[in-house]
Amino acid sequence: MRAGGGPAARDARRPTVLVPRGGTWGERVAREARHRALEPLVVPLITDTDPADPAAFAAAVDALAAGTYAWIVVTSATAVRRVAERLSGLPAGTRVAAVGHATAAACTDAGWRVDLVPAAASAADLAAVVPSTAGRVLFPRSAIAAPTLVAGLRARGLDVDDVEAYRTVGTGTGPVVVPRPPDAVLVTSGSVAGEVAARLVPLDDRTRLVCIGPGTAADARALGLPVHGVAAARTIASLLDAVVEVLAPLLDTQPGR
């Protein structure tokens, strides 16, 4: 990671946090970071692109629009956006299950009413709480989504159409150049961990990596990355709270604090 600046420069400013994705998601994270006296540095390391079989995804959305599915089950805001870009609204009879509050918020933003969010934001918990009486279920997902949700639903006898809605790809291959080493990097998925390992290493000794959950932390460690903090819940608010905790010594030295 190429950058300059010394300890004195770091101590005289708000701690910076690298936000690894752009778009509306990056803008929202940046706003929440500023509310916590952090300075966001939006550096898109990943983005999403069309699925390997766009026709299959288009057919699934057409079937959704026709009322074929009793439920749509979503585990990421990107999946919600990908469907909403093709469909102005869900049929009145289609119910929505979201893996967690962040994904549920994306559904609400898309104009979908959310019917079900499990107490714990995990695919296994979501699979356990979708009613066994549910009719046909659509699961639009990332190309690299784990099989946990589909396997759990099918094990309970539900009829699930498992459809790739998008692929997550890196935004480049060369080293990332930033004005100065960030104080923290948000690691929001295994894909982001891979890009950090490929494009930000060697990290500055003072840069802290904070992961959105234990699964992502395990992915980061498997790549040889240090993990300095893990969010208590898989939400942006919890992730940024973990950053604040990790960077508490820096935040405590800021003027007026």
Side-chain angles (χ1 to χ4, degrees):
M1 180 170 54
R2 301 174 184 171
R10 293 169 72 95
D11 292 341
R13 57 174 172 76
R14 287 154 54 115
T16 54
V17 56
L18 188 148
V19 179
R21 190 163 191 153
T24 56
W25 184 90
E27 292 169 3
R28 180 166 64 87
V29 175
R31 286 195 300 271
E32 293 200 26
R34 293 187 186 98
H35 291 159
R36 290 166 173 79
L38 301 168
E39 186 61 36
L41 179 64
V42 179
V43 180
L45 298 178
I46 61 169
T47 189
D48 57 272
T49 190
D50 290 339
D53 187 351
F57 176 54
V61 175
D62 288 344
L64 176 64
T68 300
Y69 297 104
W71 284 80
I72 179 171
V73 179
V74 284
T75 56
S76 74
T78 303
V80 175
R81 175 172 57 78
R82 281 274 167 175
V83 173
E85 285 173 347
R86 289 179 167 268
L87 191 63
S88 59
L90 296 179
T94 302
R95 302 182 71 185
V96 177
V99 73
H101 294 295
T103 306
C107 294
T108 301
D109 290 344
W112 303 357
R113 188 188 73 181
V114 179
D115 299 282
L116 180 63
V117 180
S122 76
D125 285 277
L126 181 57
V129 297
V130 174
S132 57
T133 54
R136 195 170 171 187
V137 177
L138 174 63
F139 175 42
R141 58 165 177 81
S142 162
I144 58 173
T148 307
L149 178 60
V150 171
L153 291 172
R154 287 177 176 165
R156 297 179 53 232
L158 279 78
D159 180 14
V160 184
D161 281 357
D162 176 20
V163 180
E164 181 182 309
Y166 64 97
R167 291 174 293 139
T168 299
V169 297
T171 57
T173 57
V176 171
V177 179
V178 293
R180 56 180 179 263
D183 296 294
V185 176
L186 303 182
V187 184
T188 54
S189 67
S191 297
V192 170
E195 293 301 312
V196 170
R199 303 182 64 199
L200 289 178
V201 170
L203 294 166
D204 187 274
D205 289 342
R206 297 159 295 181
T207 296
R208 299 293 181 252
L209 299 192
V210 184
C211 298
I212 200 165
T216 301
D219 291 338
R221 292 188 181 103
L223 291 165
L225 297 172
V227 174
H228 302 93
V230 180
R234 289 186 58 86
T235 66
I236 294 305
S238 182
L239 180 60
L240 290 172
D241 287 344
V243 170
V244 170
E245 183 177 352
V246 168
L247 298 182
L250 272 180
L251 288 166
D252 289 343
T253 64
Q254 301 309 303
R257 293 184 68 88

